[in-house]
Amino acid sequence: MIFRIYSLFPEFFESPLKCGLLGKAITGGLIDVSVVDIRSYSLNKHRRCDDYPYGGGSGMVIMPEPLFAAFEANETGDSKVIYMSPSGSLLNQGVVKRLSKEKEISILCGNYEGIDQRVIDSFVDEEISIGDYVLSGGEFAALILLDSVARYIPGFMSNEESLIEESFESDLLEYPQWTRPAEFRGHKVPEVLLSGDHDKIKNWRHEKRIEKTRLKRPDLYKKYLERLLLRE
Ligand code: ADE
């Protein structure tokens, strides 16, 4: 899968793209990630890419010229173009799964007060927000999108089963986990996990997922119950 990230701060991505599973997927050729430096497409002799907003208001807006030039030089026409923005629709696991079926994804990172609307109108297929809070730049959000989508690419995860069991699948959070030792500073691992009875463990974990979701995420729990009712 091909990812292209458009950013005014390409150096932001240097170490995250070298680390962990994402780094391994890139060096192993499973995903191809390139970062396009928007500033290098500026026609301005000082490489300036922002200007004051028409109509007044605080902050600066990224100009259309460098972004149009960057897209025209790099886009193939086969890419899903996503603009990371707090005004976008909210990212969730369903959106992540849908995007993981794309062959090519281009991610545009905004900064300052945003980008000239003509860029959005001309190139962007979808605006995505990672949550109802404002970041200092779309770069943080772009990494989150990249990582969450890449996890669904076959071969990315060493244990692909965990994609089925994990949080948000079937609208439930993940069950709690323990590892050795069986007793640590007086705290014991629940007996059932040491029992070797796989059916019992499976049922117990399912109950824990329900209980955890009900307590921590009543919104998700409601969705889970609604889905259960629909199935009956
Ligand atoms: N840029 C700034 N805030 C953002 C958010 N919440 N999601 C995506 N991009 C952003």
Side-chain angles (χ1 to χ4, degrees):
M1 188 165 182
I2 296 171
F3 292 91
R4 210 175 289 106
I5 303 175
Y6 293 84
S7 169
L8 279 173
F9 303 101
E11 63 278 16
F12 179 94
F13 296 94
E14 276 169 20
S15 88
L17 298 184
K18 284 194 194 125
C19 298
L21 290 177
L22 204 53
K24 212 170 122 199
I26 293 169
T27 47
L30 199 61
I31 56 175
D32 180 291
V33 185
S34 58
V35 184
V36 178
D37 181 4
I38 297 169
R39 206 174 293 284
S40 70
Y41 291 91
S42 170
L43 303 175
N44 184 288
K45 73 170 187 248
H46 302 295
R47 295 257 178 249
R48 201 177 143 178
C49 290
D50 60 336
D51 211 334
Y52 295 98
Y54 273 120
S58 63
M60 304 295 272
V61 175
I62 305 181
M63 298 148 76
E65 291 93 339
L67 286 172
F68 267 70
F71 275 113
E72 281 160 3
N74 291 281
E75 283 309 303
T76 57
D78 295 331
S79 201
K80 175 85 145 181
V81 180
I82 296 168
Y83 172 42
M84 303 314 298
S85 148
S87 312
S89 53
L90 274 183
L91 184 65
N92 61 29
Q93 203 73 349
V95 175
V96 166
K97 263 192 188 175
R98 167 170 64 77
L99 292 176
S100 71
K101 308 219 163 64
E102 296 286 337
K103 280 205 186 73
E104 210 173 302
I105 292 183
S106 296
I107 309 174
L108 170 59
C109 308
N111 301 97
Y112 319 120
E113 287 309 304
I115 65 176
D116 188 285
Q117 184 62 36
R118 287 165 289 191
V119 177
I120 299 174
D121 296 342
S122 305
F123 297 102
V124 171
D125 297 311
E126 209 166 320
E127 279 185 67
I128 293 182
S129 163
I130 60 157
D132 289 338
Y133 41 82
V134 182
L135 303 164
S136 61
E139 284 75 11
F140 297 93
L143 265 184
I144 285 168
L145 182 72
L146 169 64
D147 186 70
S148 57
V149 170
R151 291 177 76 250
Y152 276 97
I153 299 169
F156 185 92
M157 303 281 285
S158 47
N159 173 14
E160 273 163 25
E161 254 174 49
S162 64
L163 285 174
I164 301 163
E165 281 189 354
E166 70 190 357
S167 294
F168 307 115
E169 286 299 326
S170 54
D171 296 321
L172 288 174
L173 300 178
E174 216 170 340
Y175 50 77
Q177 299 270 24
W178 286 264
T179 185
R180 286 190 292 182
E183 184 172 341
F184 180 70
R185 298 193 178 178
H187 300 279
K188 287 186 177 155
V189 170
E191 204 66 48
V192 59
L193 297 177
L194 311 175
S195 69
D197 184 336
H198 295 296
D199 281 343
K200 217 161 125 190
I201 292 174
K202 198 170 160 215
N203 290 337
W204 184 85
R205 282 179 163 165
H206 187 63
E207 287 307 314
K208 284 284 161 193
R209 293 184 74 184
I210 296 172
E211 183 186 315
K212 192 170 157 185
T213 311
R214 184 172 60 79
L215 292 172
K216 295 193 175 190
R217 290 287 306 272
D219 57 321
L220 212 58
Y221 182 63
K222 196 165 157 246
K223 258 171 89 182
Y224 165 71
L225 288 182
E226 282 164 5
R227 210 188 318 205
L228 264 191
L229 281 174
L230 275 178
R231 246 193 277 153
E232 274 166 13

